Amino acid sequence: MSDPFTRMKLGPSRRQFLQVAAAAGGAAVLPASFGANEAAAQGAGDTLVIAAPATPQGLDIEFDVSLGSIDSLGALYEYMLGYEKVPDPDAPGVLREDTSVHADKPDGMALKGRLAESWEVSPDGRKATFKLREGVKSNWGNTFSSKDVKWTWDRKFNLKGQGLFQTAVLGLTSPDQIKVEGEHAISFNLEKPNPLLLKQQCNLANPIYDATKCAEVGGSADPWAVAFLKNDSAGFGPYRLAQLVRGQQAVFEARDDYWDTKPAMKRVIMREVPQSASRFSLLQGGAVDIAQFLQPRELEALKKQKNVAVDAVNSSYMIWLELNAKIKPFDNVDVRRAVNLALPRDEIIRTIYYGYADAQTAPMPYIYPMVDKSFFSYKYDVAKAKDLLAKAGFGKGVSTTLSYNAGDPTQEPIALLIQTSLRQIGIELTLEKLPAGVFYENVTKRAKPMIFYLDSPWTPDPGYSTYLYFNSKSYVNYSNYENTTVDQLITDGLATLDNNVRLEKYKQVQKTLMDEAPWGFLAYPKYTLARKANLKGYTYYTSNNLRFQDFSRG
C-alpha cells in the first residue's frame, strides 16, 4: 500500500485487499449485483468496467484510503506536478513514471507541469514558486487559482489527519509558509532546503481542491467540507463522480471541459466483486475489462487466454517481517541476522507468488533512485545462521512467535515455510493467526516479537522511505529500531539538494540497516493487472493505483 496515514482508514484498505485478493476456492459465480446493464455497457468502446474487491468507502484522502478510494483519487483530482512517463523495460506496452535521478534536467528530476505550469526553486533550496495554469475549471465549473492551492494546504494543517505527515515531511510548521504570490502564483517557504518539496507535489495524497465549492457546501459549520468530500469530489481532474453506492458500484463520467487531453474512456464502472474467483471468471468470460488483485495462480491461468493480457511490473510494494528490537530474542542483532540467513525467499517466491515477486534485497523499494542492493548478505545459509544463533547465546535453541494476518491467504503458507526453515537453525516458532480486523492494531502497538508487514512508500525517494520505517521518531518504525547515527544520516539527507551528498549518506544508511537487520527481508511483490487484451495504455505509478484516463481501446 501506501504511506503511514493509511492507519486512519474508514474501511478495508488497499493494502489489506492487495494481501487478501479474496479467499481462494469455491465456484466462481457471477455476483447477483452485476446486472445485465453493466455487462451491456461494457460492450461500448468508451466504457471501462472494473471488477474490484470493494468500492470506495470514502473519497477524502485526509482520512480514508479504503480500497477503490485510491483509484478514484487519480480520476477525480489533479496535482501540481507529475513525472514524465517512460516505457517499462520489462513489460511491453506498459508505461511507468520516470523517477530516476537526471543530472541533465532541472532539479535533477523528470518532472512536468500539471496544475503548476512552471516552477522555480531558489538557489538555497528553501523556496519554490509555482506559476499556476490559467483557465482550468473544476468539475463544478469554478476557475482554478492560487487560493485553491492555499486552501488545500491550510486544510492539512487544520484537520490534523494524514496532512500532518505531509506537512511534517516537508518541514512545514505553519500554514503561513505557503504564500499566495498573485492570482496564479504561490510559493512554499522552508526553513531548510528539502529535496522532497517538488516530489510531494506529485504524491497521490496531495490533490488540489476546489476551494470555492468547498466553502459553498461547508459553510461555517463545516469550513473544510469534510462531510461533502467524504461522498463527492471538488477537484480539477478528468472525471466527475456520477454515482457511489457503497458495496455495489461507483460510476465516473469523463469531463468535456477537462483542461488536458480528454479521456478515451467516457464512463467508468467500478463494480464490487469480493471473491477473487468471481473476478477471475468475469474477466475470463469477457464481462469486465479489468479484474483487480487476482491470485498468482489465477494470473497464470489467464495468461493462456488470447483475449486476456496480464501485466506484471516491478513495484514499490515490499513485504517483510518486523523483528522487534525491544523484545527478546530480537533485541540481539545476531538473532536478527540468523533469521535473515534462514528465510526461504526463493521457495516463497516460487511456490506462493508463482514468480510474481522478487527477493527483497534492500530496506527500500528496489525501483527507487539511490537504492543499493550490494549490501544484501543473507543468501540462504543454515550453517552460518546456526553459528550466529550460538554466538547470540542460543546454541540450544530459542522459541518465539510469528504473527500473521488471517485475512491474507498468502501469509499463512509463507509463515509455514518460515516455521519449517527456522526450525532447522534452532528457532521454534509458534504461529499466531490474528483476525484481519485487529491485525494492523497489533502491528501499530509494537508488542509482537515478529509480525508480517506489507507496505509501499508512495514518494520515490530514499530519505522518504528510510525516514518512514527506520527513523527512531517515526510512528511507522514498527520494529522499534534505534540507531542515532542512522537517524542523523537520514535527516541530513533530507536537508540537502546535492544528489551526490544524498547518495553517499543513504548508501551508509542502507549498509547499516542491512547489517543490523531490523526486518526479516522477504520479497518485492509485483503490481499485476489482468485486463482485456484490447485495453491499452496501462501506466504504473508508485502509489500503486490505476488512472482511468490512461486507458483506451487498441
Side-chain angles (χ1 to χ4, degrees):
M1 154 86 252
S2 48
D3 297 321
F5 58 81
T6 57
R7 292 34 163 198
M8 299 178 287
K9 50 192 173 292
L10 300 180
S13 73
R14 188 175 182 90
R15 180 193 297 109
Q16 287 173 302
F17 272 102
L18 168 79
Q19 295 173 325
V20 173
V29 295
L30 185 71
S33 61
F34 194 96
N37 290 338
E38 285 75 19
Q42 188 276 340
D46 59 0
T47 297
L48 178 69
V49 181
I50 302 171
T55 49
Q57 295 301 301
L59 296 171
D60 188 350
I61 188 65
E62 193 70 21
F63 302 109
D64 178 45
V65 285
S66 60
L67 190 72
S69 300
I70 295 176
D71 289 332
S72 302
L73 275 176
L76 299 173
Y77 290 97
E78 189 58 89
Y79 295 79
M80 293 279 279
L81 302 177
Y83 289 97
E84 296 284 354
K85 296 177 183 178
V86 294
D88 189 289
D90 302 314
V94 175
L95 298 176
R96 65 186 304 126
E97 294 171 302
D98 184 358
T99 61
S100 301
V101 174
H102 292 273
D104 60 331
K105 292 183 180 292
D107 309 303
M109 292 173 279
L111 297 176
K112 61 181 180 180
R114 301 297 301 164
L115 288 179
E117 196 170 46
S118 61
W119 60 95
E120 182 180 352
V121 178
S122 63
D124 64 4
R126 295 172 55 203
K127 180 177 181 178
T129 304
F130 298 89
K131 181 183 182 302
L132 305 180
R133 196 174 299 277
E134 298 183 31
V136 175
K137 299 286 186 179
S138 76
N139 60 309
W140 297 101
N142 296 314
T143 303
F144 172 62
S145 72
S146 55
K147 76 172 184 179
D148 298 303
V149 182
K150 173 63 175 169
W151 187 90
T152 293
W153 284 85
D154 284 356
R155 186 175 193 262
K156 296 178 187 297
F157 279 100
N158 281 274
L159 289 185
K160 296 178 172 50
Q162 70 86 11
L164 284 181
F165 176 80
Q166 298 298 322
T167 55
V169 79
L170 288 178
L172 294 169
T173 57
S174 166
D176 294 338
Q177 291 174 271
I178 297 101
K179 298 180 180 180
V180 171
E181 305 283 358
E183 186 177 2
H184 296 102
I186 196 158
S187 66
F188 287 69
N189 302 269
L190 310 178
E191 295 180 2
K192 298 178 180 179
N194 191 310
L196 301 181
L197 180 54
L198 298 180
K199 294 182 178 182
Q200 287 302 93
Q201 307 301 328
C202 309
N203 191 302
L204 189 71
N206 295 320
I208 302 301
Y209 295 104
D210 174 355
T212 301
K213 179 63 178 179
C214 290
E216 174 191 320
V217 297
S220 59
D222 187 8
W224 303 109
V226 173
F228 177 80
L229 292 175
K230 178 181 178 180
N231 302 299
D232 209 331
S233 67
F236 302 91
Y239 288 87
R240 61 169 53 87
L241 183 68
Q243 181 190 53
L244 174 58
V245 182
R246 291 178 177 87
Q248 295 184 32
Q249 72 174 17
V251 179
F252 307 84
E253 292 180 349
R255 292 176 50 206
D256 293 332
D257 59 346
Y258 179 53
W259 69 271
D260 201 5
T261 303
K262 308 298 188 293
M265 293 299 173
K266 303 303 181 186
R267 194 163 186 254
V268 179
I269 303 171
M270 180 188 291
R271 298 291 294 169
E272 181 164 320
V273 185
Q275 293 292 325
S276 176
S278 296
R279 298 195 298 276
F280 167 85
S281 179
L282 289 167
L283 179 60
Q284 185 180 46
V288 300
D289 293 298
I290 292 174
Q292 289 188 298
F293 304 115
L294 299 183
Q295 294 191 49
R297 61 177 175 273
E298 294 169 334
L299 296 171
E300 285 295 283
L302 287 174
K303 285 169 66 175
K304 301 173 184 177
Q305 297 199 8
K306 293 182 179 180
N307 65 332
V308 175
V310 174
D311 299 311
V313 300
N314 295 343
S315 77
S316 59
Y317 283 126
M318 303 180 286
I319 184 170
W320 66 90
L321 302 176
E322 300 281 9
L323 305 179
N324 198 319
K326 291 188 177 180
I327 298 179
K328 292 183 180 298
F330 301 115
D331 57 342
N332 189 304
V333 66
D334 283 320
V335 175
R336 302 198 299 266
R337 291 167 179 155
V339 166
N340 271 283
L341 285 165
L343 291 175
R345 296 178 188 85
D346 291 345
E347 189 176 3
I348 289 169
I349 290 168
R350 186 181 69 255
T351 64
I352 308 301
Y353 285 106
Y354 286 65
Y356 291 101
D358 293 313
Q360 186 183 9
T361 53
M364 57 185 281
Y366 65 159
I367 66 169
Y368 280 7
M370 302 188 191
V371 67
D372 195 327
K373 297 179 283 186
S374 69
F375 301 120
F376 180 79
S377 58
Y378 298 113
K379 186 177 180 180
Y380 190 73
D381 191 329
V382 170
K384 188 176 179 181
K386 285 182 176 179
D387 290 343
L388 283 171
L389 208 59
K391 178 184 174 183
F394 298 105
K396 294 183 179 180
V398 62
S399 298
T400 189
T401 301
L402 170 58
S403 305
Y404 66 93
N405 186 353
D408 179 352
T410 67
Q411 287 192 15
E412 184 166 89
I414 293 175
L416 289 168
L417 290 177
I418 293 173
Q419 182 185 48
T420 299
S421 191
L422 293 192
R423 185 175 291 136
Q424 296 180 56
I425 68 170
I427 297 179
E428 189 61 41
L429 288 183
T430 297
L431 301 185
E432 182 184 26
K433 188 174 185 177
L434 295 173
V438 300
F439 177 77
Y440 290 104
E441 179 183 348
N442 278 273
V443 172
T444 58
K445 284 181 176 179
R446 311 185 198 190
K448 300 295 183 182
M450 180 191 288
I451 190 167
F452 278 89
Y453 202 55
L454 181 140
D455 204 3
S456 68
W458 281 354
T459 298
D461 184 88
Y464 186 95
S465 300
T466 55
Y467 183 94
L468 201 58
Y469 301 120
F470 302 109
N471 187 287
S472 60
K473 296 180 180 179
S474 172
Y475 62 93
V476 193
N477 176 10
Y478 297 136
S479 62
N480 278 320
Y481 175 73
E482 291 185 16
N483 184 312
T484 56
T485 301
V486 167
D487 283 354
Q488 191 62 53
L489 285 167
I490 292 173
T491 302
D492 289 347
L494 285 172
T496 177
L497 304 184
D498 188 324
N499 280 323
N500 292 324
V501 173
R502 301 191 77 221
L503 179 63
E504 185 56 36
K505 289 187 182 297
Y506 290 117
K507 185 175 182 178
Q508 292 300 315
V509 169
Q510 292 175 80
K511 181 180 180 180
T512 302
L513 290 173
M514 295 310 293
D515 177 57
E516 297 190 347
W519 292 355
F521 301 97
L522 291 177
Y524 293 120
K526 295 181 183 296
Y527 187 97
T528 58
L529 183 73
R531 58 177 172 83
K532 275 195 166 183
N534 70 349
L535 189 66
K536 308 298 183 183
Y538 168 56
T539 301
Y540 173 74
Y541 300 89
T542 58
S543 48
N544 298 300
N545 72 310
L546 300 179
R547 312 276 170 107
F548 308 146
Q549 58 269 33
D550 293 334
F551 292 102
S552 63
R553 303 280 177 198

